[in-house]
Amino acid sequence: MITKCVQCICALVIFIAVYFPSRHARHYDYIHLKDVISELVFNINNKFSQEKNCEYGALILNNTEIIIADVTQTKYFIPPLIGGEFIPQTFTVEQNNTLPFNRAEMMNYGAKIAIESNIYGCSHRPRHMSSSLDTFRYNLPYLTLFGGAISILTSHFKKVNGMSNLFFGWGGEDDNFYNRLESHQILPYRFDPELSRYTMLIHKKQLKNDKRFQILNKPLNIENDGLNRLNRRYLVIPENLFTRIVVN
Amino acid sequence: MNDETLCCCEYYDSLNERNHILACCCNCVDLDEAVDSLIRGKSVSEKNKTGFLNTMQERLRIPWIGGARQIAFDTILPVFILPIMLFLASISLWWTVFSFTTVAIFLLLIFNFFIRAIPNTKFFLTWTVTSILLLYFIFEFVVIPFLEILVEENIALSALIFFFIICFYTTKIKANELAQLGIEATESLVGKSINGFYSCQICNAKIPDKDHHCVWFDCCISKYNQFYFISALFFAVVALLYSSNLTLTSVCHPFRFYKAILLPDDCSDVYYQFELSLSFVSAIYSLILAAILLMLLLQQLMLISVGFSLKEWNKLTFLSKLCLGLNKKRPHNRGFIKNWSRILCLNKPQYHPLDREV
């Protein structure tokens, strides 16, 4: 009887150990496609403010996606907003029928397609954008992952004093950043996997940082490590389509 | 000899003395004498050599309930060959090609040798079991920690493996029952020829309606366990293909095929990290196994449909094999539907020793 019980308990322990959820890729909560629009931060002020990353023109979804409604006779064109850091993604919508030009409908079509592709804009909470990466079989390795492509409001980034400067080599900095956000109750979220698909380009991998867990296990030092602890040994070189920053 | 029960690591040796397997390297008289004579500059006597080999064979045991069991050298061989093969194959692409071809050639050479020299060898059964365990452990403890496989995918694979093991086990149990039946039949009909029973030299038994002897399952396959055998093959093929797909899409660069199926397309940098290359190599091994088993499965399905046993099929000429043997006499053929219904419905041989008079 006792041996039977011991065998059962052993089998159960092995079963749980083998199928323990954290040993696997995870399913995660996300903002559904229809709710995505309400989560985006639209900054209608078109002045060149400091929070340049989330400026929108009156009819521009955000500064990387520009919708151009267009019909053969009546062309409707929004001049691309040059000056942002990204090369804008341009969508042209053509009304291919004999009816009079319907600008609003064309706008809706453009917006629909633009929203269904990845959105490079700001949302109310920090957003983990690359949650459906091809090299991870389009799965999320663990729930607190905040690496790869992320988007965050400038105010949030300043609030947690940016990211840590202590991580050399591969790994750890994203988990540290997640911990910083968590300590300020600014929990990141993710959008629909359809909006979060990324392709990892083939790249030479950095050396793994063996000390990363050691640094991660230390208590967070938000005040003395981050955005406010940068030295002045850097150069800013303006190029045609981007700005180069060289740090010594 | 005392009557106390043995612990799982103890055994009685040839002198009827109680021994422990941890003491396997202690107290070998022949080795002592051999080393002694070597140091003295004399040649090692023949008696010492055979004595040493006997002692080694005697002490080669695995822990077992009720005392350590002796194991034959050929039985234990795959336990070393397979991990070494996978380990060497993970070094680089050329090592993969080299170690796989070496093992394949070794198997081809040793196959006929074993069948002739040691007919009842457990070498092939150990090979099967070691492969299953090794592939499963690599999947659970090397591939799963990459955190790229979902729980439900892991559970689905485990279910397939579970079904395979059930079918594998049932095939063997049924084969044992059939062999038992063969013994009963020969006992009740001494001196008379028995219809429908075929003797198997390898398992040394008479099997009713024998199809062939499967060395990898180490049992005879007859009409009465062929359904479980085919199911086992089917689940093995599906499990191997699924696990290799999961592994390859984890370690290689995947792409979406028709939006739903993930397939690997670029495996160029798997050899940079040992875990990656080990997973990759195990997936390749699974694919090779799946291809071989799939061919066996299709052959079985075809042979049942046309009503041949594998033994009869192997005796056919190449030309009649091309015609699927349809031009030859098929003594066991009852037509497509009846052939299949016999496989699917028959559980016990319709044989009553007392009723039959030959």
Side-chain angles (χ1 to χ4, degrees):
Chain A
M1 185 63 201
I2 296 167
T3 46
K4 266 244 167 99
C5 275
V6 170
Q7 279 171 2
C8 276
I9 291 167
C10 283
L12 196 71
V13 166
I14 291 171
F15 187 82
I16 292 171
V18 165
Y19 300 107
F20 202 69
S22 65
R23 290 187 70 228
H24 301 81
R26 304 299 290 268
H27 291 286
Y28 52 93
D29 296 328
Y30 52 83
I31 308 295
H32 286 272
L33 212 53
K34 58 179 180 357
D35 306 322
V36 160
I37 290 251
S38 60
E39 287 297 329
L40 292 176
V41 177
F42 287 91
N43 190 352
I44 304 298
N45 297 337
N46 206 3
K47 66 176 169 51
F48 251 48
S49 68
Q50 284 175 324
E51 300 193 4
K52 209 191 268 180
N53 57 344
C54 279
E55 272 173 41
Y56 301 97
L59 291 162
I60 298 169
L61 253 182
N62 60 43
N63 68 356
T64 58
E65 284 158 20
I66 291 153
I67 302 164
I68 299 159
D70 155 277
V71 76
T72 355
Q73 285 88 14
T74 342
K75 279 208 171 165
Y76 190 82
F77 179 74
I78 305 160
L81 194 104
I82 304 292
E85 288 84 349
F86 298 102
I87 303 162
Q89 197 179 350
T90 315
F91 298 86
T92 61
V93 191
E94 288 173 29
Q95 186 177 334
N96 200 5
N97 56 24
T98 48
L99 294 172
F101 182 55
N102 185 339
R103 177 175 158 265
E105 198 190 0
M106 294 307 111
M107 270 310 192
N108 282 338
Y109 275 112
K112 182 178 152 60
I113 302 300
I115 285 167
E116 279 171 5
S117 63
N118 210 330
I119 299 167
Y120 282 89
C122 280
S123 43
H124 293 295
R125 274 158 62 185
R127 180 185 156 217
H128 182 218
M129 296 161 81
S130 55
S131 55
S132 187
L133 192 61
D134 64 341
T135 49
F136 291 159
R137 306 182 69 244
Y138 300 98
N139 289 331
L140 186 73
Y142 53 98
L143 291 178
T144 59
L145 179 69
F146 199 53
I150 56 171
S151 84
I152 184 169
L153 286 172
T154 311
S155 57
H156 285 156
F157 196 75
K158 282 179 177 164
K159 202 171 176 186
V160 297
N161 196 13
M163 299 174 86
S164 169
N165 301 319
L166 303 176
F167 290 88
F168 293 89
W170 183 90
E173 84 293 344
D174 45 355
D175 297 321
N176 178 280
F177 192 47
Y178 185 89
N179 292 343
R180 283 168 179 243
L181 291 169
E182 202 180 27
S183 70
H184 279 81
Q185 277 92 43
I186 320 168
L187 282 180
Y189 57 13
R190 300 178 176 98
F191 283 177
D192 204 298
E194 281 187 38
L195 299 180
S196 316
R197 257 178 223 145
Y198 274 76
T199 299
M200 176 94 85
L201 295 176
I202 294 162
H203 65 292
K204 211 180 159 206
K205 287 182 179 84
Q206 288 267 329
L207 272 184
K208 280 192 181 171
N209 180 6
D210 298 326
K211 287 184 187 161
R212 64 185 189 277
F213 297 114
Q214 211 179 318
I215 309 173
L216 270 174
N217 287 332
K218 281 186 198 161
L220 283 176
N221 187 5
I222 294 179
E223 290 80 40
N224 300 319
D225 174 25
L227 208 54
N228 64 356
R229 283 290 185 275
L230 297 175
N231 59 38
R232 291 188 184 177
R233 290 171 302 180
Y234 64 88
L235 282 172
V236 180
I237 309 159
E239 302 270 347
N240 276 342
L241 289 166
F242 59 96
T243 312
R244 240 173 97 197
I245 304 162
V246 181
V247 181
N248 293 316
Chain B
M1 203 199 291
N2 54 31
D3 290 337
E4 279 175 66
T5 46
L6 294 170
C7 98
C8 68
C9 295
E10 286 176 322
Y11 62 95
Y12 292 111
D13 62 14
S14 51
L15 302 168
N16 262 339
E17 274 173 28
R18 210 171 161 151
N19 232 320
H20 198 276
I21 52 170
L22 285 183
C24 67
C25 298
C26 314
N27 194 23
C28 178
V29 181
D30 293 299
L31 184 67
D32 292 344
E33 285 175 7
V35 174
D36 213 44
S37 48
L38 269 181
I39 290 169
R40 283 186 195 157
K42 290 177 194 167
S43 65
V44 182
S45 74
E46 202 59 35
K47 190 189 131 253
N48 282 342
K49 274 188 201 164
T50 45
F52 175 67
L53 285 178
N54 283 340
T55 315
M56 204 175 75
Q57 180 77 20
E58 154 94 16
R59 292 183 182 179
L60 193 67
R61 281 165 191 266
I62 45 165
W64 203 262
I65 305 155
R69 291 248 189 121
Q70 205 170 358
I71 33 165
F73 182 66
D74 56 295
T75 307
I76 202 82
L77 209 54
V79 180
F80 297 105
I81 293 178
L82 281 168
I84 291 171
M85 175 187 88
L86 290 183
F87 179 80
L88 288 180
S90 350
I91 297 173
S92 75
L93 181 64
W94 290 113
W95 274 100
T96 309
V97 175
F98 169 74
S99 85
F100 278 13
T101 41
T102 312
V103 168
I105 291 166
F106 168 76
L107 259 189
L108 285 176
L109 290 177
I110 210 143
F111 191 85
N112 286 323
F113 169 75
F114 269 149
I115 298 288
R116 260 185 279 114
I118 332 168
N120 58 353
T121 176
K122 296 269 183 281
F123 175 82
F124 301 104
L125 180 68
T126 330
W127 189 288
T128 315
V129 174
T130 316
S131 296
I132 297 167
L133 288 179
L134 211 56
L135 290 175
Y136 185 70
F137 275 95
I138 289 176
F139 183 80
E140 281 298 342
F141 299 106
V142 182
V143 182
I144 290 285
F146 290 136
L147 297 176
E148 293 180 25
I149 287 159
L150 296 166
V151 183
E152 55 262 36
E153 289 168 327
N154 191 5
I155 289 175
L157 179 67
S158 304
L160 286 173
I161 296 170
F162 179 72
F163 290 139
F164 163 73
I165 289 170
I166 293 283
C167 292
F168 176 67
Y169 188 68
T170 322
T171 312
K172 279 188 74 73
I173 292 287
K174 289 234 166 220
N176 284 345
E177 282 174 12
L178 292 172
Q180 201 60 43
L181 207 81
I183 293 168
E184 280 170 27
T186 29
E187 276 170 0
S188 62
L189 294 161
V190 189
K192 295 172 187 170
S193 69
I194 319 160
N195 248 350
F197 280 83
Y198 298 84
S199 63
C200 174
Q201 274 96 30
I202 297 174
C203 43
N204 210 1
K206 287 197 160 43
I207 305 290
D209 290 323
K210 186 190 159 192
D211 186 75
H212 68 286
H213 181 93
C214 178
V215 286
W216 305 100
F217 279 37
D218 190 39
C219 68
C220 269
I221 308 300
S222 95
K223 289 231 161 17
Y224 305 100
N225 60 1
Q226 203 166 12
F227 173 66
Y228 296 100
F229 178 65
I230 289 172
S231 315
L233 280 182
F234 172 75
F235 285 120
V237 169
V238 177
L240 286 168
L241 285 179
Y242 190 49
S243 77
S244 63
N245 178 271
L246 287 179
T247 307
L248 287 179
T249 46
S250 294
V251 300
C252 301
H253 183 272
F255 73 101
R256 261 169 211 270
F257 184 69
Y258 282 115
K259 285 196 172 177
I261 308 163
L262 271 186
L263 288 176
D265 63 356
D266 177 19
C267 297
S268 51
D269 41 50
V270 289
Y271 288 103
Y272 291 118
Q273 203 185 327
F274 179 70
E275 285 92 342
L276 289 178
S277 57
L278 184 66
S279 318
F280 175 73
V281 160
S282 79
I284 296 295
Y285 181 55
S286 309
L287 275 182
I288 295 170
L289 287 186
I292 296 168
L293 292 183
L294 186 66
M295 285 203 293
L296 287 180
L297 177 66
L298 292 177
Q299 189 192 36
Q300 283 284 311
L301 296 180
M302 191 267 293
L303 288 182
I304 290 171
S305 304
V306 294
F308 267 120
S309 76
L310 191 63
K311 245 187 156 166
E312 292 164 348
W313 174 259
N314 286 338
K315 283 176 191 159
L316 292 181
T317 56
F318 179 70
L319 201 67
S320 29
K321 274 185 187 171
L322 271 186
C323 317
L324 296 178
L326 294 174
N327 55 346
K328 286 279 152 74
K329 203 172 146 246
R330 287 169 286 165
H332 301 292
N333 186 23
R334 310 264 163 92
F336 180 80
I337 295 167
K338 267 210 164 165
N339 285 342
W340 272 104
S341 63
R342 269 207 312 181
I343 297 295
L344 295 177
C345 306
L346 280 188
N347 280 318
K348 272 256 175 254
Q350 303 292 309
Y351 170 73
H352 306 288
L354 295 176
D355 300 348
R356 189 178 287 199
E357 290 295 325
V358 185

